[in-house]
Amino acid sequence: MNKKLKLEELNRLSIEDFKKSAKDPIIVLLDNVRSLNNIGSVFRTCDAMGISKVYLCGITAQPPHREIRKTAIGATKSVDWEYAENALEIIKKYKKLNYSLIAVEQTSKSISLENYAYNMGKTLLIFGNEIDGVSQNLIDECDISLEIPQYGTKHSMNISVTTGIIIWTLKMQKISNQR
């Protein structure tokens, strides 16, 4: 029989154990993200995927906030995060630290996600505003732009969905390369 597991059967890490655990060298930067539910969902994804840190920049709201908490379900306590008003300063900081800087945006030179080979190194993923996307001044500082192929009539996806797809794809590439 295929039995659904109860929460206590999932053997999840405690917050303390999660904080001590090894993380992938991926940092997520959210710039000017308006939706508190999207912010919470990104935190939850970053917890599930073992991401090192989240930066909240510009108008992006910060925990604690009821609407963030509703979708994060505690992930704001497990995932390291920091607020910085200016995303460009954070990007320049991580450029000096030799991180790969990746704008998740449709650009004239963006690489389709299925054609991207993740090098498993230090990576800063930049996600932008739900309407305007990643701003051009941030794209200009990045090494590459990644986009998710889309086959319908819309030209974009929800930022929390996009974050999940990008991180999951990178994680799967890492696991495949380790086999």
Side-chain angles (χ1 to χ4, degrees), residues 144-175:
I144 65 164
S145 295
L146 271 183
E147 70 174 284
I148 299 169
Q150 298 171 49
Y151 306 101
T153 61
K154 301 300 172 198
H155 301 289
S156 67
M157 287 188 246
N158 181 283
I159 185 173
S160 64
V161 172
T162 299
T163 304
I165 291 169
I166 295 286
I167 292 172
W168 186 85
T169 301
L170 300 183
K171 194 85 162 174
M172 291 305 100
Q173 284 188 20
K174 176 184 175 185
I175 291 168

Side-chain angles (χ1 to χ4, degrees), residues 101-152:
L101 306 176
I102 300 174
V104 179
E105 186 59 81
Q106 298 164 330
T107 69
S108 59
K109 294 183 179 180
S110 59
I111 298 168
S112 191
L113 184 57
E114 79 274 13
N115 297 323
Y116 177 67
Y118 176 48
N119 69 8
M120 295 179 283
K122 300 183 299 186
T123 304
L124 179 66
L125 295 170
I126 297 106
F127 298 88
N129 177 272
E130 292 92 338
I131 304 296
D132 300 321
V134 178
S135 61
Q136 186 64 52
N137 67 325
L138 302 183
I139 292 169
D140 292 342
E141 295 294 325
C142 289
D143 301 309
I144 65 164
S145 295
L146 271 183
E147 70 174 284
I148 299 169
Q150 298 171 49
Y151 306 101

Side-chain angles (χ1 to χ4, degrees), residues 16-176:
E16 295 78 26
D17 289 339
F18 178 84
K19 287 196 169 282
K20 294 176 194 172
S21 69
K23 311 281 186 314
D24 283 320
I26 296 173
I27 296 173
V28 168
L29 185 149
L30 302 180
D31 188 41
N32 293 319
V33 173
R34 299 172 311 147
S35 166
L36 301 171
N37 291 322
N38 280 338
I39 297 163
S41 292
V42 168
F43 268 99
R44 195 163 161 192
T45 296
C46 289
D47 174 281
M49 295 288 115
I51 299 306
S52 296
K53 186 172 188 172
V54 174
Y55 276 97
L56 307 171
C57 300
I59 65 165
T60 307
Q62 306 159 55
H65 194 288
R66 186 175 152 286
E67 291 299 312
I68 294 172
R69 192 171 40 243
K70 187 170 24 174
T71 50
I73 309 178
T76 58
K77 293 178 180 163
S78 58
V79 176
D80 288 340
W81 67 272
E82 185 176 330
Y83 175 77
E85 186 174 336
N86 189 329
L88 188 57
E89 289 176 9
I90 300 303
I91 289 170
K92 288 181 177 184
K93 169 185 172 181
Y94 282 94
K95 184 177 244 179
K96 288 178 184 171
L97 295 171
N98 295 315
Y99 273 66
S100 294
L101 306 176
I102 300 174
V104 179
E105 186 59 81
Q106 298 164 330
T107 69
S108 59
K109 294 183 179 180
S110 59
I111 298 168
S112 191
L113 184 57
E114 79 274 13
N115 297 323
Y116 177 67
Y118 176 48
N119 69 8
M120 295 179 283
K122 300 183 299 186
T123 304
L124 179 66
L125 295 170
I126 297 106
F127 298 88
N129 177 272
E130 292 92 338
I131 304 296
D132 300 321
V134 178
S135 61
Q136 186 64 52
N137 67 325
L138 302 183
I139 292 169
D140 292 342
E141 295 294 325
C142 289
D143 301 309
I144 65 164
S145 295
L146 271 183
E147 70 174 284
I148 299 169
Q150 298 171 49
Y151 306 101
T153 61
K154 301 300 172 198
H155 301 289
S156 67
M157 287 188 246
N158 181 283
I159 185 173
S160 64
V161 172
T162 299
T163 304
I165 291 169
I166 295 286
I167 292 172
W168 186 85
T169 301
L170 300 183
K171 194 85 162 174
M172 291 305 100
Q173 284 188 20
K174 176 184 175 185
I175 291 168
S176 292

